[in-house]
PDB file of all heavy atoms in Angstrom:
ATOM      1  N   ASP K 125      -3.982 -13.298  -6.152  1.00 97.00           N
ATOM      2  CA  ASP K 125      -4.469 -14.662  -5.913  1.00 97.00           C
ATOM      3  C   ASP K 125      -5.358 -14.702  -4.668  1.00 97.00           C
ATOM      4  O   ASP K 125      -6.407 -15.345  -4.664  1.00 97.00           O
ATOM      5  CB  ASP K 125      -3.306 -15.649  -5.750  1.00 97.00           C
ATOM      6  CG  ASP K 125      -2.557 -15.907  -7.045  1.00 97.00           C
ATOM      7  OD1 ASP K 125      -3.100 -15.637  -8.147  1.00 97.00           O
ATOM      8  OD2 ASP K 125      -1.403 -16.382  -6.959  1.00 97.00           O
ATOM      9  N   TYR K 126      -4.946 -14.001  -3.608  1.00 95.00           N
ATOM     10  CA  TYR K 126      -5.718 -13.984  -2.361  1.00 95.00           C
ATOM     11  C   TYR K 126      -7.085 -13.325  -2.571  1.00 95.00           C
ATOM     12  O   TYR K 126      -8.117 -13.869  -2.178  1.00 95.00           O
ATOM     13  CB  TYR K 126      -4.941 -13.252  -1.261  1.00 95.00           C
ATOM     14  CG  TYR K 126      -5.767 -13.030  -0.029  1.00 95.00           C
ATOM     15  CD1 TYR K 126      -6.006 -14.061   0.869  1.00 95.00           C
ATOM     16  CD2 TYR K 126      -6.351 -11.792   0.226  1.00 95.00           C
ATOM     17  CE1 TYR K 126      -6.800 -13.868   1.996  1.00 95.00           C
ATOM     18  CE2 TYR K 126      -7.150 -11.594   1.341  1.00 95.00           C
ATOM     19  CZ  TYR K 126      -7.366 -12.632   2.221  1.00 95.00           C
ATOM     20  OH  TYR K 126      -8.156 -12.447   3.321  1.00 95.00           O
ATOM     21  N   ILE K 127      -7.086 -12.138  -3.189  1.00 95.00           N
ATOM     22  CA  ILE K 127      -8.349 -11.412  -3.372  1.00 95.00           C
ATOM     23  C   ILE K 127      -9.257 -12.153  -4.344  1.00 95.00           C
ATOM     24  O   ILE K 127     -10.470 -12.220  -4.142  1.00 95.00           O
ATOM     25  CB  ILE K 127      -8.091  -9.966  -3.828  1.00 95.00           C
ATOM     26  CG1 ILE K 127      -7.366  -9.194  -2.709  1.00 95.00           C
ATOM     27  CG2 ILE K 127      -9.397  -9.258  -4.199  1.00 95.00           C
ATOM     28  CD1 ILE K 127      -6.898  -7.812  -3.100  1.00 95.00           C
ATOM     29  N   LYS K 128      -8.686 -12.725  -5.379  1.00 96.00           N
ATOM     30  CA  LYS K 128      -9.474 -13.485  -6.357  1.00 96.00           C
ATOM     31  C   LYS K 128     -10.161 -14.672  -5.675  1.00 96.00           C
ATOM     32  O   LYS K 128     -11.344 -14.927  -5.879  1.00 96.00           O
ATOM     33  CB  LYS K 128      -8.557 -13.978  -7.480  1.00 96.00           C
ATOM     34  CG  LYS K 128      -9.231 -14.808  -8.526  1.00 96.00           C
ATOM     35  CD  LYS K 128      -9.868 -13.949  -9.563  1.00 96.00           C
ATOM     36  CE  LYS K 128     -10.355 -14.835 -10.697  1.00 96.00           C
ATOM     37  NZ  LYS K 128     -11.306 -14.198 -11.521  1.00 96.00           N
ATOM     38  N   LYS K 129      -9.418 -15.389  -4.817  1.00 96.00           N
ATOM     39  CA  LYS K 129      -9.966 -16.553  -4.118  1.00 96.00           C
ATOM     40  C   LYS K 129     -11.069 -16.142  -3.128  1.00 96.00           C
ATOM     41  O   LYS K 129     -12.111 -16.764  -3.046  1.00 96.00           O
ATOM     42  CB  LYS K 129      -8.844 -17.288  -3.379  1.00 96.00           C
ATOM     43  CG  LYS K 129      -9.300 -18.516  -2.629  1.00 96.00           C
ATOM     44  CD  LYS K 129      -8.143 -19.206  -1.943  1.00 96.00           C
ATOM     45  CE  LYS K 129      -8.624 -20.408  -1.147  1.00 96.00           C
ATOM     46  NZ  LYS K 129      -7.535 -21.065  -0.438  1.00 96.00           N
ATOM     47  N   ARG K 130     -10.820 -15.085  -2.384  1.00 94.00           N
ATOM     48  CA  ARG K 130     -11.761 -14.607  -1.374  1.00 94.00           C
ATOM     49  C   ARG K 130     -12.948 -13.883  -2.000  1.00 94.00           C
ATOM     50  O   ARG K 130     -14.038 -13.844  -1.459  1.00 94.00           O
ATOM     51  CB  ARG K 130     -10.992 -13.695  -0.427  1.00 94.00           C
ATOM     52  CG  ARG K 130     -11.829 -12.789   0.389  1.00 94.00           C
ATOM     53  CD  ARG K 130     -11.209 -11.538   0.856  1.00 94.00           C
ATOM     54  NE  ARG K 130     -11.339 -10.465  -0.099  1.00 94.00           N
ATOM     55  CZ  ARG K 130     -10.798  -9.295   0.060  1.00 94.00           C
ATOM     56  NH1 ARG K 130     -10.030  -9.048   1.083  1.00 94.00           N
ATOM     57  NH2 ARG K 130     -10.978  -8.352  -0.839  1.00 94.00           N
ATOM     58  N   GLY K 131     -12.683 -13.274  -3.155  1.00 95.00           N
ATOM     59  CA  GLY K 131     -13.701 -12.477  -3.835  1.00 95.00           C
ATOM     60  C   GLY K 131     -13.532 -11.010  -3.505  1.00 95.00           C
ATOM     61  O   GLY K 131     -13.290 -10.665  -2.348  1.00 95.00           O
ATOM     62  N   PRO K 132     -13.634 -10.144  -4.508  1.00 94.00           N
ATOM     63  CA  PRO K 132     -13.505  -8.704  -4.247  1.00 94.00           C
ATOM     64  C   PRO K 132     -14.666  -8.209  -3.398  1.00 94.00           C
ATOM     65  O   PRO K 132     -15.757  -8.789  -3.418  1.00 94.00           O
ATOM     66  CB  PRO K 132     -13.518  -8.079  -5.644  1.00 94.00           C
ATOM     67  CG  PRO K 132     -14.136  -9.093  -6.530  1.00 94.00           C
ATOM     68  CD  PRO K 132     -13.886 -10.435  -5.913  1.00 94.00           C
ATOM     69  N   LYS K 133     -14.421  -7.148  -2.644  1.00 90.00           N
ATOM     70  CA  LYS K 133     -15.446  -6.610  -1.742  1.00 90.00           C
ATOM     71  C   LYS K 133     -15.546  -5.104  -1.912  1.00 90.00           C
ATOM     72  O   LYS K 133     -14.553  -4.439  -2.192  1.00 90.00           O
ATOM     73  CB  LYS K 133     -15.094  -6.938  -0.294  1.00 90.00           C
ATOM     74  CG  LYS K 133     -15.051  -8.426  -0.037  1.00 90.00           C
ATOM     75  CD  LYS K 133     -14.773  -8.745   1.397  1.00 90.00           C
ATOM     76  CE  LYS K 133     -14.770 -10.257   1.526  1.00 90.00           C
ATOM     77  NZ  LYS K 133     -14.668 -10.731   2.836  1.00 90.00           N
ATOM     78  N   ASP K 134     -16.750  -4.571  -1.711  1.00 84.00           N
ATOM     79  CA  ASP K 134     -16.946  -3.126  -1.733  1.00 84.00           C
ATOM     80  C   ASP K 134     -16.149  -2.487  -0.607  1.00 84.00           C
ATOM     81  O   ASP K 134     -16.005  -3.069   0.472  1.00 84.00           O
ATOM     82  CB  ASP K 134     -18.426  -2.769  -1.564  1.00 84.00           C
ATOM     83  CG  ASP K 134     -19.232  -3.059  -2.815  1.00 84.00           C
ATOM     84  OD1 ASP K 134     -18.692  -2.923  -3.925  1.00 84.00           O
ATOM     85  OD2 ASP K 134     -20.414  -3.414  -2.673  1.00 84.00           O
ATOM     86  N   PHE K 135     -15.650  -1.281  -0.855  1.00 78.00           N
ATOM     87  CA  PHE K 135     -14.909  -0.553   0.159  1.00 78.00           C
ATOM     88  C   PHE K 135     -15.868  -0.091   1.238  1.00 78.00           C
ATOM     89  O   PHE K 135     -16.947   0.410   0.957  1.00 78.00           O
ATOM     90  CB  PHE K 135     -14.180   0.644  -0.461  1.00 78.00           C
ATOM     91  CG  PHE K 135     -13.279   1.348   0.501  1.00 78.00           C
ATOM     92  CD1 PHE K 135     -12.081   0.786   0.877  1.00 78.00           C
ATOM     93  CD2 PHE K 135     -13.650   2.553   1.058  1.00 78.00           C
ATOM     94  CE1 PHE K 135     -11.239   1.426   1.778  1.00 78.00           C
ATOM     95  CE2 PHE K 135     -12.825   3.207   1.954  1.00 78.00           C
ATOM     96  CZ  PHE K 135     -11.616   2.637   2.313  1.00 78.00           C
ATOM     97  N   ASN K 136     -15.478  -0.257   2.488  1.00 72.00           N
ATOM     98  CA  ASN K 136     -16.302   0.119   3.624  1.00 72.00           C
ATOM     99  C   ASN K 136     -15.658   1.305   4.338  1.00 72.00           C
ATOM    100  O   ASN K 136     -14.596   1.172   4.926  1.00 72.00           O
ATOM    101  CB  ASN K 136     -16.438  -1.076   4.576  1.00 72.00           C
ATOM    102  CG  ASN K 136     -17.317  -0.774   5.764  1.00 72.00           C
ATOM    103  OD1 ASN K 136     -17.914   0.297   5.855  1.00 72.00           O
ATOM    104  ND2 ASN K 136     -17.400  -1.705   6.682  1.00 72.00           N
ATOM    105  N   TYR K 137     -16.315   2.454   4.267  1.00 67.00           N
ATOM    106  CA  TYR K 137     -15.827   3.629   4.982  1.00 67.00           C
ATOM    107  C   TYR K 137     -16.222   3.497   6.442  1.00 67.00           C
ATOM    108  O   TYR K 137     -17.325   3.851   6.842  1.00 67.00           O
ATOM    109  CB  TYR K 137     -16.453   4.902   4.407  1.00 67.00           C
ATOM    110  CG  TYR K 137     -15.947   5.281   3.049  1.00 67.00           C
ATOM    111  CD1 TYR K 137     -16.568   4.813   1.897  1.00 67.00           C
ATOM    112  CD2 TYR K 137     -14.848   6.115   2.914  1.00 67.00           C
ATOM    113  CE1 TYR K 137     -16.107   5.176   0.639  1.00 67.00           C
ATOM    114  CE2 TYR K 137     -14.380   6.481   1.669  1.00 67.00           C
ATOM    115  CZ  TYR K 137     -15.020   6.013   0.537  1.00 67.00           C
ATOM    116  OH  TYR K 137     -14.562   6.374  -0.689  1.00 67.00           O
ATOM    117  N   ARG K 138     -15.345   2.942   7.249  1.00 69.00           N
ATOM    118  CA  ARG K 138     -15.661   2.706   8.659  1.00 69.00           C
ATOM    119  C   ARG K 138     -15.308   3.879   9.556  1.00 69.00           C
ATOM    120  O   ARG K 138     -15.872   4.046  10.611  1.00 69.00           O
ATOM    121  CB  ARG K 138     -14.916   1.465   9.163  1.00 69.00           C
ATOM    122  CG  ARG K 138     -15.382   0.190   8.514  1.00 69.00           C
ATOM    123  CD  ARG K 138     -14.535  -0.935   8.949  1.00 69.00           C
ATOM    124  NE  ARG K 138     -13.199  -0.678   8.415  1.00 69.00           N
ATOM    125  CZ  ARG K 138     -12.222  -1.544   8.384  1.00 69.00           C
ATOM    126  NH1 ARG K 138     -12.388  -2.721   8.883  1.00 69.00           N
ATOM    127  NH2 ARG K 138     -11.068  -1.250   7.863  1.00 69.00           N
ATOM    128  N   LEU K 139     -14.341   4.669   9.123  1.00 73.00           N
ATOM    129  CA  LEU K 139     -13.870   5.752   9.975  1.00 73.00           C
ATOM    130  C   LEU K 139     -14.490   7.077   9.570  1.00 73.00           C
ATOM    131  O   LEU K 139     -14.675   7.351   8.389  1.00 73.00           O
ATOM    132  CB  LEU K 139     -12.343   5.856   9.890  1.00 73.00           C
ATOM    133  CG  LEU K 139     -11.570   4.600  10.272  1.00 73.00           C
ATOM    134  CD1 LEU K 139     -10.084   4.798  10.027  1.00 73.00           C
ATOM    135  CD2 LEU K 139     -11.832   4.236  11.721  1.00 73.00           C
ATOM    136  N   THR K 140     -14.779   7.902  10.549  1.00 78.00           N
ATOM    137  CA  THR K 140     -15.278   9.240  10.248  1.00 78.00           C
ATOM    138  C   THR K 140     -14.090  10.150   9.970  1.00 78.00           C
ATOM    139  O   THR K 140     -12.971   9.896  10.435  1.00 78.00           O
ATOM    140  CB  THR K 140     -16.101   9.793  11.429  1.00 78.00           C
ATOM    141  OG1 THR K 140     -15.277   9.799  12.597  1.00 78.00           O
ATOM    142  CG2 THR K 140     -17.336   8.938  11.687  1.00 78.00           C
ATOM    143  N   ILE K 141     -14.338  11.194   9.226  1.00 78.00           N
ATOM    144  CA  ILE K 141     -13.297  12.178   8.919  1.00 78.00           C
ATOM    145  C   ILE K 141     -13.040  13.002  10.170  1.00 78.00           C
ATOM    146  O   ILE K 141     -13.972  13.585  10.747  1.00 78.00           O
ATOM    147  CB  ILE K 141     -13.741  13.099   7.757  1.00 78.00           C
ATOM    148  CG1 ILE K 141     -13.983  12.293   6.489  1.00 78.00           C
ATOM    149  CG2 ILE K 141     -12.733  14.208   7.518  1.00 78.00           C
ATOM    150  CD1 ILE K 141     -12.751  11.715   5.870  1.00 78.00           C
ATOM    151  N   GLU K 142     -11.785  13.051  10.603  1.00 79.00           N
ATOM    152  CA  GLU K 142     -11.447  13.817  11.806  1.00 79.00           C
ATOM    153  C   GLU K 142     -11.200  15.280  11.477  1.00 79.00           C
ATOM    154  O   GLU K 142     -11.565  16.161  12.244  1.00 79.00           O
ATOM    155  CB  GLU K 142     -10.205  13.223  12.472  1.00 79.00           C
ATOM    156  CG  GLU K 142     -10.456  11.874  13.095  1.00 79.00           C
ATOM    157  CD  GLU K 142      -9.226  11.329  13.783  1.00 79.00           C
ATOM    158  OE1 GLU K 142      -8.330  12.107  14.157  1.00 79.00           O
ATOM    159  OE2 GLU K 142      -9.154  10.110  13.950  1.00 79.00           O
TER     160      GLU K 142
END
Side-chain angles (χ1 to χ4, degrees):
D125 290 341
Y126 172 77
I127 295 173
K128 178 84 172 162
K129 180 179 178 182
R130 162 206 88 184
K133 298 183 179 187
D134 286 327
F135 186 74
N136 182 5
Y137 289 90
R138 294 174 294 192
L139 302 175
T140 58
I141 299 291
E142 290 182 23

